[in-house]
Amino acid sequence: CNKKRGQCPQPYIREEALVEQINRAIQKVALPEEQHAKLMSYWAKEEKNSRQPLALLKEKLSKEVAETNAKLNRLLDAHLEGLVTQSEYLAKKEVLIKHKVTLEEKMDNLKQGASVWLEPAREFLKAAHQAGKLASGENLAAKKEFFKKIGLNPVLAAKTLRFSYALPWGLLTQSRTITKMRRG
């Protein structure tokens, strides 16, 4: 509070008390070693499973591209030998080139979009695993940056930090509540 609008009704809070509240918020999204290992093994299986069908599809598309190139070469040879007229050659060439471009775009999309969710999921799991170490550490700047990542709309009122967890971080706190309810 900078008291720009007059006397502030909110009391001061010590840095240590605020850091403790931030540590508790970070600790709620921290993944223990055992859970992290289980989730990473599941992630590895998903990555492997997502690549297998893609390899077959990539192989099929590569064969189609090679076949299209062969057709283009045969069409050029037929045109050069005078078996196909100029207008027939250009019309068929345009169709084959469009087909080849479509196949190449499909291959590029496969490379990019096949496991598009896997890398962000791995980064999330890694960050959640590091959260426990971060909360118990002394690096205030790192805590601040991590808190910005996990928290939305922070408000400090009556010496209490209030905020809501951003997605997917909020899901971690909810999953722990559900797990505790099941155990209870």
Side-chain angles (χ1 to χ4, degrees):
C1 183
N2 58 15
K3 299 184 181 178
K4 192 174 187 178
R5 296 183 182 154
Q7 188 65 24
C8 181
Q10 294 296 322
Y12 290 100
I13 182 171
R14 292 194 47 87
E15 179 182 330
E16 297 83 14
L18 180 60
V19 169
E20 182 57 36
Q21 291 180 42
I22 291 172
N23 287 341
R24 280 186 298 220
I26 293 173
Q27 197 64 41
K28 284 185 180 180
V29 297
L31 269 180
E33 183 66 38
E34 182 181 310
Q35 287 179 333
H36 179 258
K38 285 180 184 178
L39 289 171
M40 287 306 292
S41 68
Y42 178 73
W43 179 88
K45 288 177 190 173
E46 283 295 316
E47 182 185 37
K48 182 181 175 187
N49 290 341
S50 71
R51 289 184 184 200
Q52 287 175 347
L54 291 178
L56 296 173
L57 196 53
K58 284 180 186 178
E59 185 178 323
K60 180 183 173 190
L61 288 173
S62 295
K63 286 180 183 177
E64 283 188 52
V65 168
E67 288 172 7
T68 304
N69 282 334
K71 286 179 184 179
L72 280 167
N73 288 335
R74 286 194 303 270
L75 180 65
L76 179 60
D77 290 342
H79 177 65
L80 292 175
E81 291 175 7
L83 301 173
V84 178
T85 66
Q86 177 78 16
S87 60
E88 291 172 329
Y89 168 74
L90 292 175
K92 188 64 177 176
K93 178 184 171 189
E94 183 179 342
V95 169
L96 288 172
I97 288 179
K98 283 182 181 179
H99 182 64
K100 180 181 172 184
V101 168
T102 302
L103 291 173
E104 289 172 346
E105 286 175 355
K106 284 182 183 179
M107 285 180 66
D108 287 342
N109 289 341
L110 278 177
K111 290 175 187 173
Q112 294 172 359
S115 54
V116 91
W117 68 275
L118 286 170
E119 193 57 32
R122 186 179 71 76
E123 290 300 318
F124 169 73
L125 292 174
K126 181 180 172 185
H129 180 60
Q130 295 296 323
K133 294 174 186 168
L134 181 65
S136 61
E138 298 296 322
N139 189 342
L140 296 179
K143 288 179 184 187
K144 174 185 171 186
E145 290 305 312
F146 192 79
F147 181 76
K148 284 181 181 179
K149 188 186 325 184
I150 66 170
L152 297 173
N153 304 322
V155 174
L156 186 60
K159 296 187 178 186
T160 304
L161 178 64
R162 294 188 190 110
F163 67 98
S164 54
Y165 284 98
L167 283 176
W169 301 100
L171 297 175
L172 272 179
T173 61
Q174 290 174 1
S175 68
R176 294 216 172 101
T177 305
I178 293 168
T179 304
K180 288 178 185 175
M181 288 174 26
R182 286 183 185 162
R183 288 181 189 158

